[in-house]
Amino acid sequence: MSVFYSVMPETFKLIVDRKEGISHNGNFESTHANVFACRNSFGAFQILVQGTKHLCLCLNDDPWFSEYPEAQVVYLRHKGQLKPILNQIAIHKGDDEREYADRLMRDLVTTSQPGVPQGVFVRFEIGEDTKPGMYEGQFDLILQHLFDEEKIIGTISYTLEVSSFALPAMKDRSCEMDLWQHHCSISRYAALKHWSDEHFALLEEYVKSLAVMGQTNITIMASQIPWSGQRCFLEPFKANLFQYSMIPVEKTSDGFRYDYSVMDRYIELCFRYGIDRKIEVFGLIGNWNSPEHGYGNFTEMPDAIRIRYKDVDGCYRYMKKAEDIKHYIRSLQDHYVKKGWIDKVRVIADEPWHYDVLRNTIETVREIAPQFKYKAAFYERKFFDAFKDLISDFCIVAHGLPLAFEEWKKTYREDKEHCFTYYVCCNPDLPNMFIRSDLLETRYIFVLAQSLGMSGFLRWNYTIWPSDPRRDIRYPKFQAGDTNMVYPAPDAKPELTLRFMALRRALEDYELLKMLEDKGFNEIREKLISKVVYDPDVSHFYDAEGRTIVTFDQISVATQEDYDNFRMDACTALMK
């Protein structure tokens, strides 16, 4: 048996094609990694190991015997001053039947098939107290078969340069990062009661991961099923995607009572981990309907605000009267005021298409809860023109930008009254964050945001998994990976992804660009932007229907090496 091994950059994505035998995009050309990291950041690279027979790759020293009699066991052992975090990388099938590296497993041992590389993501967390300097280390590949003696068959070395420059602490960073949280997907996967102590123990693990990545905003569900389960009931491939309210309601002889303890507990949990910029409240405006399937508006309100309550007879019902729903909304506003959170709150609508319904709903809510501010994710420029008097935070989808690109550029430069971000979702094809997407597309997204003067980025997914995401992340309505940035481990705690790491790195790119801009280092800033945003006119990317008509290398020529050089130049300049 022969064993092949190599070093690959952190943004490498292994792609395996089994249509005609086994082929992949890996190579085995380099065995040394040069890595740069500033403090309050991380350094990373990948290791690929491939055998001509079944290969068991072990990240610990425990004995391992395989069910495949010909399999060889390879141990990966580290020597060096800094302790790495190692994750084996799982590949998942995409919509084109090819397999893409994505999930960072907690498994210490994997078995790969002959001719299929096994990836390992190597990262070093560099805290503010890490001493600047050069750190060297190596990983020995040690082969053992059954009871034979161990044998070193190769070495991968690295040099890690730690800069004196430190990125700001997460709480002090500028980019607004808004990954929506789908809390009930977690409890559903783990078979737990929604909002139980056990559910909150898991939620804390996901909040921790969001905080490490750079999340700033909190997702609150203030009524039942705001998206009508993404209309999952229309799909032949069944997966339950419904999300539920955090606010229990009970009707007594004295009127309605609202229990805000679950909502408060989640907000305070996020605050504890530094996620505290905005509190986004779903379910009061822009709710998704499907009346022909029973998910219509049964209330006296303009929008389908679905407030479930326990009645005096013990049965559960939904509020229908406008006066009852208004009382609920007014009470919610007053609660935020009492807690001192009202300035952070944004009542949010996701892709509202019925402008008249949205305007009527917002005007109705403003009459009873005038201190609320509003946010919307939307597609068309005319939405901004129609609602800029009512909404403070606007988030446009990427392929909506080119429909009025010059107008948007002028608005971003001159409008200081509104907050502007943008997003990608099931569209456009690129740039995006599907499992088939180039990881540099994520980096591009944030460089473009900063170059246009946007405050940040939004994506709708974090944990809205199909039924068995560890086995198959595909779901017919969405491209593979569109529904998640992390996976549930067997114990339902989060397993991160290569896409998560690219997102974390992209947020650092945004921060460095913003710091360079603030300090007047425009030459270094523009050097990266000119390569990343190679074609600065996004109207060239999509046709009139928003379909992508270019490839990624036509809109960005920046390589991993270009990003690395930018980071080194930026850190050097910012230390002056």
Side-chain angles (χ1 to χ4, degrees):
M1 170 183 169
S2 297
V3 177
F4 306 95
Y5 53 92
S6 69
V7 164
M8 301 298 286
E10 67 175 90
T11 51
F12 172 72
K13 181 177 287 190
L14 177 69
I15 305 172
V16 177
D17 192 334
R18 302 177 191 263
K19 290 177 183 175
E20 296 181 7
I22 293 176
S23 61
H24 60 78
N25 63 332
N27 65 67
F28 301 98
E29 298 172 358
S30 175
T31 58
H32 182 80
N34 289 305
V35 183
F36 173 84
C38 56
R39 294 179 296 154
N40 279 339
S41 179
F42 67 102
F45 60 93
Q46 294 182 39
I47 295 173
L48 286 187
V49 184
Q50 176 185 309
T52 53
K53 298 181 180 179
H54 280 93
L55 185 144
C56 303
L57 186 61
C58 302
L59 302 184
N60 59 11
D61 289 332
D62 293 342
W64 187 264
F65 292 86
S66 173
E67 64 272 32
Y68 298 98
E70 82 287 2
Q72 300 283 358
V73 177
V74 174
Y75 291 91
L76 197 63
R77 291 187 185 147
H78 177 254
K79 298 175 184 175
Q81 296 167 272
L82 298 179
K83 185 177 181 180
I85 299 170
L86 305 180
N87 293 99
Q88 308 228 32
I89 307 171
I91 54 177
H92 286 262
K93 190 169 287 188
D95 302 295
D96 59 0
E97 296 298 319
R98 296 193 295 175
E99 296 166 88
Y100 295 86
D102 192 39
R103 178 165 52 92
L104 303 184
M105 297 185 287
R106 288 158 47 190
D107 304 54
L108 296 174
V109 182
T110 57
T111 300
S112 56
Q113 293 179 312
V116 177
Q118 176 59 51
V120 178
F121 193 81
V122 180
R123 84 179 189 272
F124 297 88
E125 292 292 338
I126 309 299
E128 193 166 3
D129 57 350
T130 303
K131 184 179 178 181
M134 305 296 289
Y135 295 85
E136 295 186 346
Q138 66 186 56
F139 290 90
D140 291 331
L141 286 88
I142 300 171
L143 179 66
Q144 184 174 43
H145 178 61
L146 296 178
F147 305 101
D148 296 345
E149 290 191 8
E150 292 185 343
K151 177 184 178 182
I152 296 177
I153 58 171
T155 297
I156 286 173
S157 59
Y158 66 86
T159 302
L160 172 59
E161 179 184 353
V162 176
S163 170
S164 299
F165 175 76
L167 278 166
M170 284 296 183
K171 64 182 179 61
D172 298 322
R173 296 188 187 179
S174 58
C175 186
E176 180 171 313
M177 184 62 228
D178 190 10
L179 274 176
W180 291 345
Q181 301 115 59
H182 295 80
H183 323 87
C184 292
S185 294
I186 298 169
S187 48
R188 185 162 47 236
Y189 180 86
L192 297 174
K193 178 177 172 54
H194 302 320
W195 319 122
S196 62
D197 289 344
E198 294 80 7
H199 184 195
F200 263 94
L202 278 178
L203 285 174
E204 182 164 6
E205 297 298 320
Y206 286 85
V207 168
K208 282 182 190 177
S209 67
L210 284 163
V212 167
M213 179 268 298
Q215 176 75 3
T216 60
N217 295 4
I218 302 168
T219 300
I220 295 298
M221 304 298 172
S223 74
Q224 306 294 345
I225 60 170
W227 295 278
S228 290
Q230 303 291 332
R231 303 185 180 99
C232 57
F233 43 81
L234 299 179
E235 298 299 322
F237 182 93
K238 296 304 180 187
N240 193 317
L241 306 181
F242 288 96
Q243 304 299 313
Y244 299 100
S245 174
M246 305 169 113
I247 305 171
V249 179
E250 185 175 0
K251 187 176 184 180
T252 69
S253 57
D254 297 324
F256 288 103
R257 294 191 306 184
Y258 313 113
D259 182 356
Y260 297 118
S261 59
V262 167
M263 180 185 73
D264 291 354
R265 183 178 180 181
Y266 185 71
I267 291 172
E268 288 162 358
L269 170 64
C270 292
F271 281 3
R272 197 156 67 245
Y273 286 94
I275 302 173
D276 60 2
R277 188 170 303 179
K278 290 177 182 175
I279 301 168
E280 297 181 339
V281 179
F282 288 86
L284 302 185
I285 62 173
N287 295 296
W288 290 16
N289 294 327
S290 188
E292 64 274 29
H293 301 97
Y295 294 87
N297 184 9
F298 51 79
T299 77
E300 296 174 357
M301 294 289 282
D303 204 341
I305 304 171
R306 304 172 180 120
I307 310 298
R308 184 176 185 255
Y309 66 94
K310 186 178 182 180
D311 212 336
V312 291
D313 61 0
C315 293
Y316 284 87
R317 297 180 173 88
Y318 284 85
M319 291 183 180
K320 295 183 175 63
K321 294 181 180 179
E323 63 180 295
D324 294 340
I325 297 172
K326 289 178 180 180
H327 187 273
Y328 171 84
I329 294 171
R330 184 182 301 110
S331 173
L332 183 60
Q333 174 204 255
D334 293 346
H335 180 76
Y336 287 133
V337 170
K338 182 178 178 181
K339 298 291 288 187
W341 300 337
I342 191 64
D343 290 338
K344 298 178 184 289
V345 171
R346 299 294 185 272
V347 176
I348 187 168
D350 180 17
E351 298 185 344
W353 292 106
H354 300 289
Y355 288 14
D356 54 341
V357 172
L358 182 64
R359 176 169 286 277
N360 289 341
T361 306
I362 292 177
E363 289 176 347
T364 299
V365 173
R366 288 180 75 185
E367 290 176 3
I368 55 174
Q371 296 190 63
F372 277 146
K373 295 178 183 177
Y374 299 88
K375 178 175 180 175
F378 64 101
Y379 179 73
E380 299 172 299
R381 169 75 192 200
K382 67 180 182 181
F383 179 88
F384 171 72
D385 294 333
F387 286 95
K388 59 187 177 182
D389 60 327
L390 293 175
I391 293 175
S392 62
D393 294 35
F394 288 91
C395 186
I396 186 169
V397 71
H399 57 290
L401 277 171
L403 302 180
F405 189 48
E406 292 303 319
E407 294 175 75
W408 280 122
K409 287 197 296 184
K410 186 175 186 293
T411 299
Y412 296 149
R413 285 195 307 269
E414 299 176 0
D415 189 324
K416 307 302 179 185
E417 296 181 10
H418 299 92
C419 175
F420 296 102
T421 56
Y422 83 126
Y423 72 103
V424 297
C425 53
C426 50
N427 286 300
D429 280 343
L430 68 82
N432 218 305
M433 300 176 182
F434 308 129
I435 65 168
R436 64 162 175 81
S437 302
D438 190 320
L439 291 172
L440 290 181
E441 291 181 38
T442 299
R443 308 282 289 269
Y444 171 90
I445 284 168
F446 282 80
V447 174
L448 179 64
Q450 219 288 313
S451 68
L452 290 176
M454 295 185 188
S455 298
F457 177 74
L458 177 154
R459 212 175 192 293
W460 74 284
N461 66 323
Y462 197 59
T463 60
I464 188 161
W465 306 302
S467 298
D468 191 1
R470 293 175 59 80
R471 183 185 63 82
D472 193 348
I473 197 59
R474 293 173 298 174
Y475 185 71
K477 186 176 179 179
F478 306 105
Q479 297 197 51
D482 188 30
T483 61
N484 72 309
M485 292 300 292
V486 296
Y487 293 78
D491 60 3
K493 292 180 181 179
E495 285 186 322
L496 307 181
T497 61
L498 291 176
R499 292 175 294 133
F500 176 100
M501 290 299 172
L503 187 54
R504 182 180 171 190
R505 185 69 85 199
L507 280 157
E508 294 181 352
D509 294 338
Y510 183 101
E511 192 65 28
L512 288 170
L513 288 167
K514 183 68 167 63
M515 294 176 75
L516 290 169
E517 181 182 43
D518 291 344
K519 294 195 174 186
F521 293 115
N522 291 320
E523 184 177 344
I524 297 172
R525 180 175 177 273
E526 292 304 320
K527 184 179 178 182
L528 178 72
I529 289 174
S530 65
K531 280 197 170 185
V532 175
V533 189
Y534 182 65
D535 183 348
D537 189 346
V538 301
S539 64
H540 298 161
F541 304 172
Y542 313 108
D543 64 16
E545 282 73 45
R547 292 175 298 212
T548 304
I549 56 174
V550 293
T551 58
F552 185 50
D553 59 3
Q554 290 177 289
I555 69 174
S556 180
V557 297
T559 64
Q560 172 71 50
E561 184 178 3
D562 291 323
Y563 281 100
D564 291 343
N565 290 336
F566 159 73
R567 291 175 66 81
M568 289 188 281
D569 291 345
C571 291
T572 299
L574 291 168
M575 284 189 294
K576 295 178 181 178

